[in-house]
């Protein structure tokens, strides 16, 4: 008897995973593409990852997403990494090819795909607020997309300096770190400004400490926060007639890219965005 699965299985491993919008979005996208695939979520603690990865191989899962706290610790279990995942040192998407596991990072790619709808990143001057996982993923992918300069603004010097150093050492971009004290004034020459911090998550009134008057209409202003998608930061930018990009676009696009990696086909991005809006009740 063959153990070939009737359905392909994708899983998400993280902690916690309850109420994950990605599962809802992916199941809708599989159905819209007439694929009898399933997207399952598993709550896996760090000390269970070893067993979970053995199970993943044995049970023949086609692919997976990884969220915190596994984005870095999953790497030793993989056979190959994309260039971006190697540079970031973090993986959020894995696909099985025969018995080899290939790791990639679709967060930054999702952001750049969203950005390309409003501007070409080539030779642009970027200011990125924050230096955590999301910032790292976006900054590396922007550097690989040919931006000219990235200023990393972060409250904690060590994280900010490490990211600027990584970008300078491993990519062609010119990067610098600036400490975030009081209200940060966005430099006039910035073309793209990104809030890649967790400020604004679940709180539409939470202020990102910047001098709002320094936002100019020529700037593209983006936020990684997807719930609520219209953050205080984006509202300020919108009032100043900047081009704005919400975090929902990034979330949809990282899913679009992962779907293509797993299935080889392009999903319906509109179905994915609508399903997220339904799930998040926005
Ligand atoms: P991390 O915890 O790795 O990083 C958080 C960052 O925010 C750090 O740079 C931290 O600074 C900064 N920060 C937090 N609070 C403040 C504050 N009050 N003032 C100044 N800086 C602050 O988180 P991630 O990078 O993984 O995630 C960040 C956000 O991105 C989350 O809200 C997540 O939901 C969202 N996200 C969205 C995605 C999408 O598809 N739209 C994809 C991935 C993430 P410091 O280093 O000083 O602590």
């Amino acid at each position: 008897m063959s153990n070939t699965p009737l359905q392909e299985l994708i899983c998400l491993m993280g902690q916690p995973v309850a109420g994950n919008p990605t599962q809802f979005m992916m199941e809708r996208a599989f159905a819209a593409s007439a694929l009898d695939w399933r997207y399952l979520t598993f709550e896996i603690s760090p000390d269970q990852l070893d067993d979970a990865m053995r199970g993943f191989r044995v049970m023949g899962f086609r692919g997976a997403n990884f969220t915190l706290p596994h984005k870095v610790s999953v790497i030793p279990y993989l056979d190959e990494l994309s260039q971006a995942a190697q540079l970031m040192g973090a993986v959020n998407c894995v696909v099985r090819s025969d018995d080899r596991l290939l790791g990639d990072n679709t967060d930054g790619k999702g952001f750049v795909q969203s950005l390309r709808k409003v501007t070409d990143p080539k030779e642009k001057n970027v200011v990125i607020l924050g230096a955590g996982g999301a910032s790292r993923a976006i900054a590396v992918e922007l550097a690989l997309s040919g931006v000219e300069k990235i200023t990393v603004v972060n409250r904690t010097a060590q994280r900010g300096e490490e990211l600027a150093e990584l970008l300078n050492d491993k990519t062609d971009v010119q990067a610098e770190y600036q400490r975030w004290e009081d209200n940060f004034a966005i430099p006039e020459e910035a073309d793209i400004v990104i809030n890649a911090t967790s400020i604004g998550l679940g709180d539409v009134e939470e202020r990102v400490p910047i001098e709002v008057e320094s936002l100019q209409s020529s700037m593209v202003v983006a936020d990684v926060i997807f719930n609520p998608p219209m953050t205080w930061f984006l509202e300020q930018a919108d009032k100043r007639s900047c081009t704005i990009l919400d975090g929902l676009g990034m979330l949809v696009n990282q899913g679009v890219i992962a779907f293509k990696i797993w299935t080889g086909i392009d999903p319906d991005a509109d179905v994915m965005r609508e399903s997220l809006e339904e799930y998040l009740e926005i």
Side-chain angles (χ1 to χ4, degrees):
M1 200 167 88
S2 158
N3 68 350
T4 306
L6 294 172
Q7 304 165 331
E8 292 284 2
L9 298 176
I10 304 291
C11 69
L12 176 136
M13 298 192 206
Q15 192 188 29
V17 291
N20 193 290
T22 306
Q23 178 184 35
F24 192 77
M25 172 175 77
M26 286 299 181
E27 292 251 315
R28 279 283 176 85
F30 289 145
S33 295
L35 289 174
D36 191 15
W37 289 36
R38 291 290 174 274
Y39 189 101
L40 310 173
T41 56
F42 295 108
E43 184 118 9
I44 305 291
S45 62
D47 63 332
Q48 291 171 325
L49 186 63
D50 193 52
D51 286 341
M53 289 309 292
R54 264 202 297 273
F56 178 86
R57 282 187 188 266
V58 171
M59 290 189 276
F61 277 80
R62 166 68 71 157
N65 277 139
F66 291 86
T67 64
L68 294 175
H70 306 308
K71 287 186 177 187
V72 177
S73 47
V74 71
I75 290 176
Y77 296 95
L78 307 178
D79 301 297
E80 207 179 307
L81 295 182
S82 69
Q83 184 193 14
Q86 268 177 47
L87 288 174
M88 290 165 207
V91 161
N92 76 335
C93 180
V94 167
V95 63
R96 182 172 51 79
S97 171
D98 298 323
D99 57 355
R100 291 176 60 73
L101 300 185
L102 318 176
D104 204 340
N105 196 310
T106 60
D107 281 338
K109 288 186 176 71
F111 177 84
V112 172
Q113 194 153 308
S114 240
L115 181 69
R116 281 190 195 285
K117 290 187 184 135
V118 295
T119 192
D120 181 353
K122 247 193 178 52
E123 292 169 15
K124 294 292 191 310
N125 187 319
V126 177
V127 170
I128 188 157
L129 306 171
S135 172
R136 209 175 165 87
I138 291 170
V140 164
E141 214 60 64
L142 284 173
L144 296 177
S145 306
V147 300
E148 188 172 300
K149 185 173 177 202
I150 298 180
T151 304
V152 179
V153 182
N154 201 48
R155 185 178 58 174
T156 307
Q158 193 188 347
R159 264 175 139 183
E161 281 166 356
E162 272 171 16
L163 178 52
E165 201 175 299
L166 166 86
L167 295 168
N168 281 323
D169 289 354
K170 301 277 175 62
T171 75
D172 293 335
V173 83
Q174 184 197 333
E176 66 172 35
Y177 164 68
Q178 284 202 24
R179 186 189 279 274
W180 197 344
E181 287 167 327
D182 306 322
N183 284 339
F184 182 78
I186 309 296
E188 258 176 54
E189 58 276 16
D191 301 303
I192 300 166
V193 185
I194 306 155
N195 173 37
T197 71
S198 39
I199 303 172
L201 182 65
D203 182 357
V204 75
E205 309 221 319
E206 198 179 6
R207 296 169 59 97
V208 176
I210 57 156
E211 272 181 23
V212 285
E213 297 76 22
S214 63
L215 292 170
Q216 296 168 41
S217 59
S218 58
M219 296 174 179
V220 173
V221 176
D223 206 322
V224 297
I225 300 299
F226 59 84
N227 193 17
M230 194 58 166
T231 56
W232 176 89
F233 181 65
L234 289 187
E235 259 176 21
Q236 303 312 307
D238 195 38
K239 276 187 199 155
R240 281 159 187 77
S241 306
C242 305
T243 304
I244 60 169
L245 272 184
D246 68 29
L248 214 48
M250 174 179 171
L251 187 62
V252 170
N253 282 317
Q254 64 81 27
V256 165
I257 295 162
F259 190 103
K260 179 82 188 263
I261 290 174
W262 296 323
T263 66
I265 59 177
D266 290 309
D268 185 331
D270 290 338
V271 165
M272 292 170 84
R273 181 156 183 133
E274 282 157 20
S275 68
L276 278 180
E277 286 172 350
E278 182 185 327
Y279 184 86
L280 299 169
E281 297 178 355
I282 47 180

